[in-house]
Amino acid sequence: MTTLAPPYNFSSRKQTIARHFASANHYDQHANIQQRVCQYLLANIADTEQDSVLEIGAGTGQMTRLIAAHIQSQQWFINELCAEQAATLQSILATAKIAIGDAETMDLQGNHSLIISANTVQWFDNPLSFVGQSALRLQAKGQLIFNTFTANNFLQIKALTGQGLQYPEVEQWQSALADAGFENIELTIQRFDLTFANPYAVLKHMQLTGVSTNRTQAQANDNQGFTWTKTRLQQFERDYWQQFCNKDQQGKPCVILTYEVLIVSAFKA
């Protein structure tokens, strides 16, 4: 069963996010880091038998497929921003209740034993609010497990364009979790440096995984954007080669793009 958040409308920023991911038709072929994150989250779920599982921001179903295959649950609830993904998610978990809408604003009340979210929370207007919302939706002793990213994520893009999301510090996550009544809090950082043949390949990778370099959070809220021009692209390429050049395994020149992932696991007291 699929439900839509009433009223089914988003802020302009969330509409932009939904549009980018809806058009990322080859996401699963290129989102290798995101898939590795899903595998890590799966490995750190404390119990393979659950009463009720809520997944936030399921996207194309990378995480959904893993938990469907490895976790037993009496009830499944799946949230996703893009309505285009509803049929795919329902095909993965036929018994799941699919809730299409903005997880920050729609009613996702419940009494879940596990809340999980992969590669989603960084897109929230107020990422730290996810902790308090999750505490209200979890059973006592229920597990919250998710990932987000650190300020070093896509550091090359930020350095060269000034564009990118703003991420809470690790200490802020720790405080938010403790204040919301979570215990057994574990925060783990993992860094991945991907190599690409040239700076244009970096931009293509980001486009194919639904990420836009065109807007910061503040600009998106103000309907202002960063516009690529021929001159700006040429300068971007020169600067990228100059500042972030490396060599691949064959010794050929390449450029680096950094992912820095924060994994969060905690249990409701």
Side-chain angles (χ1 to χ4, degrees):
M1 180 180 69
T2 302
T3 61
L4 304 180
Y8 186 52
N9 57 14
F10 305 140
S11 67
S12 60
R13 177 173 178 268
K14 294 294 176 70
Q15 289 176 27
T16 300
I17 293 168
R19 191 162 54 248
H20 279 299
F21 281 100
S23 63
N25 297 322
H26 302 287
Y27 178 89
D28 288 338
Q29 299 174 35
H30 298 274
N32 297 321
I33 298 303
Q34 290 85 345
Q35 183 64 41
R36 291 172 69 176
V37 168
C38 290
Q39 293 281 359
Y40 191 91
L41 292 174
L42 178 69
N44 285 274
I45 295 174
D47 196 336
T48 57
E49 294 188 3
Q50 299 287 336
D51 297 329
S52 179
V53 176
L54 170 62
E55 182 185 4
I56 299 293
T60 60
Q62 279 190 333
M63 190 76 244
T64 314
R65 289 182 179 88
L66 290 175
I67 57 177
H70 298 282
I71 303 297
Q72 300 295 320
S73 181
Q74 297 178 29
Q75 292 183 304
W76 297 94
F77 298 86
I78 301 175
N79 159 259
E80 169 51 23
L81 185 68
C82 301
E84 292 84 352
Q85 301 295 349
T88 296
L89 296 170
Q90 197 76 76
S91 71
I92 298 170
L93 270 170
T95 62
K97 295 181 179 179
I98 312 294
I100 299 298
D102 184 349
E104 284 193 273
T105 59
M106 71 183 300
D107 184 3
L108 289 172
Q109 293 181 1
N111 189 31
H112 307 290
S113 56
L114 173 68
I115 295 178
I116 187 166
S117 183
N119 308 303
T120 295
V121 176
Q122 71 274 9
W123 297 108
F124 280 23
D125 292 331
N126 182 8
L128 291 171
S129 68
F130 179 62
V131 172
Q133 291 175 335
S134 296
L136 295 175
R137 298 165 181 163
L138 272 174
Q139 301 173 6
K141 308 302 179 183
Q143 183 180 14
L144 170 64
I145 185 165
F146 68 96
N147 79 288
T148 180
F149 297 86
T150 77
N152 289 326
N153 197 58
F154 295 163
L155 62 89
Q156 297 85 1
I157 303 299
K158 291 180 182 177
L160 298 178
T161 69
Q163 306 304 298
L165 299 176
Q166 301 299 314
Y167 303 101
E169 299 291 338
V170 174
E171 294 78 13
Q172 292 177 280
W173 285 111
Q174 178 78 41
S175 296
L177 288 158
D179 291 345
F182 284 94
E183 57 188 14
N184 299 325
I185 299 167
E186 294 183 5
L187 302 168
T188 307
I189 292 176
Q190 293 189 329
R191 177 169 171 149
F192 306 91
D193 287 324
L194 301 187
T195 59
F196 294 88
N198 54 62
Y200 292 118
V202 172
L203 295 180
K204 186 65 174 177
H205 166 79
M206 296 178 72
Q207 180 187 28
L208 289 168
T209 54
V211 179
S212 170
T213 59
N214 291 358
R215 293 187 176 199
T216 63
Q217 284 166 314
Q219 288 174 326
N221 289 331
D222 292 338
N223 273 333
Q224 298 174 356
F226 172 92
T227 303
W228 285 106
T229 63
K230 182 178 180 180
T231 300
R232 183 170 271 171
L233 277 169
Q234 291 172 340
Q235 185 66 48
F236 175 82
E237 182 184 30
R238 288 193 296 269
D239 291 345
Y240 213 124
W241 277 119
Q242 182 178 4
Q243 297 182 37
F244 303 110
C245 181
N246 207 323
K247 291 186 177 180
D248 63 19
Q249 294 180 344
Q250 287 74 43
K252 296 180 180 179
C254 64
V255 293
I256 301 296
L257 178 66
T258 295
Y259 282 81
E260 193 164 276
V261 184
L262 176 65
I263 305 291
V264 179
S265 174
F267 294 81
K268 184 176 178 178

